[in-house]
Amino acid sequence: MAVSKAYLKEEREQEWRVEVRKLLKNKERTALPRVKMGEVEARERICSNIEVNKGLSADEAVNEARRCLDCPDPTCISGCPVEINIPKFIKRIEQGDFLKAARVLKETSTLPAVCGRVCPQEKQCEAKCFYQLKLKNEPVAIGYLERFAADYERESGQISVPEVAPANGIKIAVIGSGPAGLTFAGDMAKQGYDVTVFEALHEIGGVLKYGIPEFRLPNSIVDVEIDNLKRMGVKFENNFIVGRTASIEDLKEEGFAGFFTGSGAGLPRFMNIPGENYIGILSSNEYLTRVNLMDAANPDTDTPVISGKQVAVIGGGNTAMDSVRTARRLGAERAMIIYRRSMEEMPARVEEIKHAQEEGIEFLTLTNPVAYFADEKGRVNKVRVQKMELGEPDASGRRRPMPVEGSEYDIDVDTVVVSVGVSPNPLIPSSLPQLETTRWGTIVVDEDKLQTSIPEMFAGGDIVRGGATVILAMGDGRNAAAAMHKYLQDKRNA
Amino acid sequence: MSNLQTTYLGIPIKNPIVVGSSGLSSTIDGIKALAKAGVAAIVLKSVFEEEIKAEAEQTIGQQLGQDDNNLEFYDYYDYQVKNEVLDRYVSLIREAKAAVDIPIIASINCSSYSEWVSFAHKIEEAGADGIELNIFKLPFGVKDEAAAIEKIYFDIVDKVKTSLRIPFGIKLAPYFTNLGNVIHRLSHSGAQGLVLFNRFTSVDYDIENDQVVVGKVYSNADEYVNSLRWISIAAPNAGCDLIASTGIHDYRTLVKMLMAGASSVELVSAIYKEGAEVVGAMLSELEQWMSRRGFQSIADFKGRLSQGEASNPEVFERVQFMRYFSGHKQ
């Protein structure tokens, strides 16, 4: 769904934009340094769940917005899966009209405050910024500005609710309340559909709530975005497992005409190495969900998580960073990342790695677990690791990790969190035999329409991609909503 | 009726014919057919670590999203593929054990020490009666010393034997600087059997189309001689079962291998070429031969012509055709 160039040009030629551009010469704009986001000191933040990034002040945001050249060909937009009109919202910030900036974000994004915090902008919009592409300079801090505008609107108490078309009476079911489902729900609600989101857990938000810790994305931020959807008329059913509580057929009988599956990838993977079933070894899904959603860090709860003193987290992605930093906050004296490649090959965001390092996390790179050992009660007490070296590049373009024979040694641990990826949630595919899936368990969809082999079912996010960023899942939600709207309209007019 | 009982990896078996690791033993239907034909044990098709890695690489190459946005999903995908492949293999072992009443032997080929142990462990849990370690790396590295290559074999055996309770054997290549020494030491290393020898795919040229092609897939009946020589040499002092493999196509070669000192033989090409019926035919001819020669059991003639027992043991050490090599007749 490419945004039209004519539309962007028309927007750019609006009088207020022209006036803002005239405020500074381009040379003056490019001479401005990129803003640095304030952070809570590491020694302070590891004692609590306080959000690490402080956000920008109004002055910092306006100064950073001045750096944006409002390019005639805004390449940054092509890097955004939901095609936010980036120069437009940034120029609203430069103008000082922060509420209007937030409204621009909401034209295409259901979760701007979330994206401003967790999107890998360095790989998306900011990677396509003119500064980066042509000037080889630091890009405009689009992510910081997005967060600023969204936060400003929320804190101002003047939250705008997107316009909603008159109700058309068509019931739509959304399975899963993660970023794909919420975005789809918002876009369908805008079109006047009667949308109900079914969530298996007791909290709405999917991976945004259970997967991303409070210190990176406070739940209150997600709740505000969900409240906004509620104000648009979207209904939510918690503790409802589609495929168990009710089947798709049951929902059809209740009058649901369209379905969007965004049930995510919540099935943890393990390495299946000897000893992996010992007590004290758990998946990052379990670890983070229990801490983030079930208050398991509190020793007085029914099912507290063990606050290990020597915690090893296996993996090098964002989830591994979230897990190891959570362990640190729960009192780990030694919190380690064990990763089989080097720092350069880690999939985690650079910012997350930096924050982890500041918090005293040890990085045992080029190191891979081969077995676990336990005490007489079956509690893990050691991990045997093997040193690795890098060979030729593999299919991912990264150098392949190769074991160094005879290099094994043991590390004392009392908790191990395995964070080596997840698989798609199997519930929906297994309850619908006619639904076409891949051998990886993902749902097969038409690439443009995101329509599945069951015509009235569309799907997006991790259940289709296997693993994706929040913003890509949101992009799927948007595209699927547009495609389902067309499908239902065509069906009605046929 | 002759007693054909013998052993394979120290496991008692009803006769000396075992099916070697191949496509023949990759499905339950194939396994049932082989058991029905009378084989005494079946070595399942090998599971290769390299194959798993290649499959993972292919998947990652196809599925990796734009800007590596799903890199975290695929970062450890090789483990996922490995687990899937091993799960399928475990199912095959379990189904085979339930379907037939003869020993089922798994076969693995790994490229790293830790995986040998990991694979072997999983296979043992699945209920296999034994494991054949299909160890071989083509020694094409010009900087690799022979001793270092040999050491790999012993290191793998050391690792595996400490974590396994079921018997294991090694399917060996004939390419060692001092083959006699390697066979002898490995036979005393803790393995319960040595299979002599593994037959590898070869390279050939299609000279009409200028293409490199795969050489002859199946062995022929003349290829047994190398195995015969080395089983004969190794048998008198071997610390475990020796199993003959390569070029065994009729009962005569089967008998020769047993007389050399093998406890059993592995058949593959003969079954591919002639069907599973060849097993029954060979066993029947073996019995007739034993009866004709007055042998009651395999033990009566096993090793009878090994180097230690033969009247002219020097023959085993001759490799050059010289004038005084009087044994050869036109």
Side-chain angles (χ1 to χ4, degrees):
Chain A
M1 198 168 58
V3 65
S4 119
K5 282 193 174 176
Y7 164 76
L8 289 176
K9 190 179 173 195
E10 191 185 313
E11 288 273 306
R12 187 174 181 271
E13 293 311 320
Q14 293 207 352
E15 203 178 325
W16 72 269
R17 287 269 288 269
V18 175
E19 289 305 314
V20 173
R21 278 201 299 277
K22 284 181 185 166
L23 292 174
L24 284 174
K25 289 177 181 162
N26 278 358
K27 264 193 178 177
E28 291 172 307
R29 292 182 186 278
T30 56
L32 295 169
R34 178 179 158 120
V35 70
K36 298 247 180 300
M37 171 85 79
E39 294 170 357
V40 179
E41 283 288 319
R43 64 173 181 276
E44 182 189 340
R45 69 193 191 224
I46 59 169
C47 302
S48 71
N49 261 330
I50 190 169
E51 190 176 8
V52 175
N53 286 332
K54 288 179 170 174
L56 301 182
S57 67
D59 285 348
E60 286 171 329
V62 170
N63 274 333
E64 183 62 22
R66 286 182 180 134
R67 293 182 71 225
C68 173
L69 301 177
D70 197 5
C71 306
D73 178 16
T75 43
C76 50
I77 297 177
S78 67
C80 174
V82 296
E83 296 178 317
I84 289 173
N85 191 338
I86 293 168
K88 184 179 172 185
F89 97 80
I90 291 181
K91 290 301 115 179
R92 282 296 188 198
I93 292 176
E94 183 175 346
Q95 203 186 24
D97 198 338
F98 307 140
L99 289 175
K100 280 189 179 161
R103 280 190 200 117
V104 175
L105 293 171
K106 285 186 173 176
E107 286 170 10
T108 54
S109 172
T110 315
L111 311 166
V114 172
C115 292
R117 285 169 166 80
V118 301
C119 263
Q121 292 99 2
E122 69 275 13
K123 286 185 178 176
Q124 296 180 328
C125 53
E126 293 183 15
K128 301 278 171 68
C129 172
F130 181 82
Y131 278 74
Q132 187 85 343
L133 294 179
K134 302 289 181 191
L135 305 180
K136 305 296 172 206
N137 195 354
E138 285 190 294
V140 174
I142 300 168
Y144 292 176
L145 293 174
E146 182 184 22
R147 171 181 163 163
F148 168 79
D151 284 359
Y152 180 88
E153 186 198 45
R154 187 183 64 255
E155 285 159 13
S156 73
Q158 302 175 63
I159 296 175
S160 63
V161 180
E163 271 187 45
V164 172
N168 60 23
I170 302 172
K171 287 174 79 174
I172 303 295
V174 181
I175 302 153
S177 68
L182 293 179
T183 302
F184 175 88
D187 277 22
M188 290 303 272
K190 280 183 195 169
Q191 303 278 3
Y193 289 93
D194 178 2
V195 183
T196 305
V197 178
F198 296 96
E199 168 55 51
L201 295 175
H202 60 286
E203 284 264 3
I204 302 296
V207 71
L208 303 174
K209 283 269 187 77
Y210 76 72
I212 305 177
E214 189 76 7
F215 56 82
R216 207 151 71 82
L217 176 63
N219 282 349
S220 58
I221 302 287
V222 184
D223 285 336
V224 169
E225 313 269 31
I226 292 165
D227 278 346
N228 228 23
L229 288 169
K230 287 179 181 167
R231 288 160 70 184
M232 290 164 69
V234 176
K235 290 173 259 182
F236 290 92
E237 291 274 0
N238 300 1
N239 301 310
F240 195 110
I241 303 173
V242 177
R244 291 284 187 278
T245 315
S247 67
I248 294 286
E249 284 308 312
D250 295 335
L251 295 176
K252 276 184 186 171
E253 280 176 23
E254 284 182 27
F256 285 95
F259 298 84
F260 176 79
T261 301
S263 49
L267 192 66
R269 286 191 201 146
F270 286 90
M271 296 167 81
N272 272 339
I273 56 177
E276 216 173 17
N277 285 328
Y278 286 133
I279 302 164
I281 303 177
L282 60 171
S283 70
S284 52
N285 287 50
E286 182 187 343
Y287 187 67
L288 291 174
T289 304
R290 285 173 66 184
V291 173
N292 294 341
L293 278 193
M294 299 165 73
D295 194 26
N298 177 357
D300 297 329
T301 54
D302 290 340
T303 55
V305 78
I306 295 152
S307 301
K309 297 295 173 207
Q310 294 173 303
V311 182
V313 175
I314 317 301
N318 287 320
T319 314
M321 297 306 143
D322 288 341
S323 302
V324 77
R325 294 173 68 196
T326 295
R328 190 87 170 107
R329 281 160 176 76
L330 294 187
E333 288 157 8
R334 189 178 185 199
M336 298 162 267
I337 284 284
I338 298 181
Y339 184 58
R340 60 180 174 162
R341 303 183 198 239
S342 72
M343 297 294 281
E344 271 178 41
E345 289 85 20
M346 277 191 183
R349 288 186 69 192
V350 173
E351 185 182 54
E352 304 311 323
I353 295 171
K354 172 184 161 280
H355 284 162
Q357 286 172 321
E358 288 167 358
E359 290 165 12
I361 305 301
E362 279 180 62
F363 283 76
L364 305 182
T365 53
L366 294 170
T367 305
N368 203 32
V370 291
Y372 297 102
F373 300 92
D375 61 19
E376 66 283 356
K377 290 179 182 166
R379 254 210 84 78
V380 67
N381 59 12
K382 277 186 198 332
V383 54
R384 177 159 298 162
V385 296
Q386 182 172 35
K387 296 299 290 178
M388 310 292 275
E389 59 190 0
L390 295 178
E392 295 297 310
D394 64 12
S396 70
R398 301 172 304 160
R399 293 177 64 195
R400 180 184 292 113
M402 321 262 283
V404 177
E405 302 299 356
S407 64
E408 294 96 332
Y409 65 99
D410 295 348
I411 301 171
D412 290 339
V413 290
D414 54 23
T415 303
V416 176
V417 180
V418 182
S419 184
V420 297
V422 285
S423 288
N425 194 322
L427 205 54
I428 293 296
S430 65
S431 66
L432 292 170
Q434 69 274 41
L435 185 66
E436 199 183 331
T437 55
T438 66
R439 56 158 298 202
W440 305 281
T442 52
I443 296 177
V444 175
V445 293
D446 172 282
E447 207 169 302
D448 298 322
K449 293 187 283 192
L450 295 154
Q451 192 168 21
T452 70
S453 55
I454 299 172
E456 64 274 19
M457 180 174 278
F458 292 66
D462 285 356
I463 191 71
V464 167
R465 296 172 179 271
T469 56
V470 167
I471 191 74
L472 274 171
M474 289 174 60
D476 286 350
R478 278 206 84 204
N479 291 337
M484 186 188 283
H485 175 57
K486 184 171 185 313
Y487 168 76
L488 293 173
Q489 294 303 309
D490 289 350
K491 203 172 166 185
R492 179 180 266 191
N493 298 332
Chain B
M1 188 131 173
S2 311
N3 177 4
L4 301 185
Q5 284 181 0
T6 180
T7 57
Y8 173 86
L9 308 185
I11 304 166
I13 53 175
K14 63 184 180 182
N15 69 57
I17 297 184
V18 175
V19 177
S21 175
S22 62
L24 295 166
S25 54
S26 62
T27 65
I28 286 297
D29 286 346
I31 290 163
K32 281 182 185 169
L34 292 166
K36 196 175 169 192
V39 301
I42 295 172
V43 185
L44 301 180
K45 184 170 169 55
S46 287
V47 52
F48 289 90
E49 187 191 351
E50 290 294 341
E51 223 167 62
I52 290 167
K53 284 183 178 168
E55 189 182 336
E57 287 260 317
Q58 193 185 20
T59 303
I60 293 166
Q62 289 168 352
Q63 300 294 317
L64 208 58
Q66 202 182 359
D67 304 324
D68 299 346
N69 55 57
N70 53 2
L71 190 57
E72 190 166 340
F73 183 75
Y74 287 109
D75 202 19
Y76 283 81
Y77 198 71
D78 48 334
Y79 279 92
Q80 182 76 359
V81 175
K82 182 181 96 172
N83 294 333
E84 285 173 13
V85 170
L86 283 180
D87 284 347
R88 284 200 296 269
Y89 203 60
V90 163
S91 296
L92 181 68
I93 294 169
R94 289 194 173 134
E95 286 175 39
K97 286 292 296 172
V100 300
D101 59 0
I102 53 175
I104 294 296
I105 313 299
S107 172
I108 54 175
N109 176 289
C110 298
S111 53
S112 56
Y113 293 158
S114 53
E115 293 298 34
W116 284 104
V117 176
S118 160
F119 280 38
H121 199 73
K122 189 132 188 166
I123 283 163
E124 181 176 72
E125 281 179 356
D129 294 289
I131 300 181
E132 187 176 87
L133 307 179
N134 178 0
I135 312 176
F136 185 65
K137 199 175 173 193
L138 196 64
F140 56 76
V142 291
K143 291 179 183 168
D144 295 340
E145 298 282 346
I149 294 170
E150 284 177 13
K151 187 174 178 295
I152 292 172
Y153 286 72
F154 292 94
D155 287 346
I156 290 170
V157 169
D158 280 347
K159 296 243 175 216
V160 170
K161 77 180 179 193
T162 55
S163 62
L164 268 190
R165 288 184 300 274
I166 56 174
F168 70 97
I170 303 156
K171 194 164 194 176
L172 211 56
Y175 311 118
F176 286 93
T177 306
N178 186 348
L179 184 56
N181 172 274
V182 170
I183 293 172
H184 179 73
R185 284 165 57 212
L186 279 176
S187 80
H188 290 275
S189 65
Q192 285 80 14
L194 292 184
V195 182
L196 306 180
F197 293 107
N198 208 342
R199 183 177 182 275
F200 303 106
T201 54
S202 54
V203 171
D204 206 348
Y205 286 176
D206 173 349
I207 59 171
E208 299 302 328
N209 297 299
D210 293 2
Q211 281 190 329
V212 180
V213 295
V214 175
K216 278 184 187 168
V217 175
Y218 302 126
S219 70
N220 62 49
D222 297 331
E223 287 183 48
Y224 71 89
V225 289
N226 202 38
S227 296
L228 186 72
R229 176 196 294 271
W230 286 103
I231 287 171
S232 305
I233 291 172
N237 299 305
C240 66
D241 280 352
L242 298 180
I243 299 106
S245 175
T246 304
I248 302 153
H249 287 249
D250 56 31
Y251 89 94
R252 290 183 192 82
T253 313
L254 165 62
V255 169
K256 288 175 190 176
M257 292 301 184
L258 297 172
M259 292 179 93
S263 62
S264 49
V265 302
E266 284 190 3
L267 248 58
V268 172
S269 293
I271 301 175
Y272 268 118
K273 285 179 173 176
E274 297 176 47
E277 309 80 64
V278 73
V279 175
M282 282 170 74
L283 290 173
S284 167
E285 287 169 313
L286 171 65
E287 280 196 87
Q288 288 169 29
W289 175 85
M290 285 171 67
S291 169
R292 192 165 70 242
R293 294 291 311 273
F295 297 127
Q296 302 300 310
S297 69
I298 302 266
D300 292 345
F301 63 95
K302 181 181 162 214
R304 192 180 176 95
L305 287 180
S306 68
Q307 191 182 27
E309 301 296 321
S311 58
N312 51 346
E314 70 284 359
V315 159
F316 293 100
E317 294 164 14
R318 286 190 184 137
V319 288
Q320 306 287 357
F321 292 97
M322 290 180 275
R323 263 188 306 160
Y324 51 83
F325 189 0
S326 56
H328 179 69
K329 292 186 177 71
Q330 287 290 339

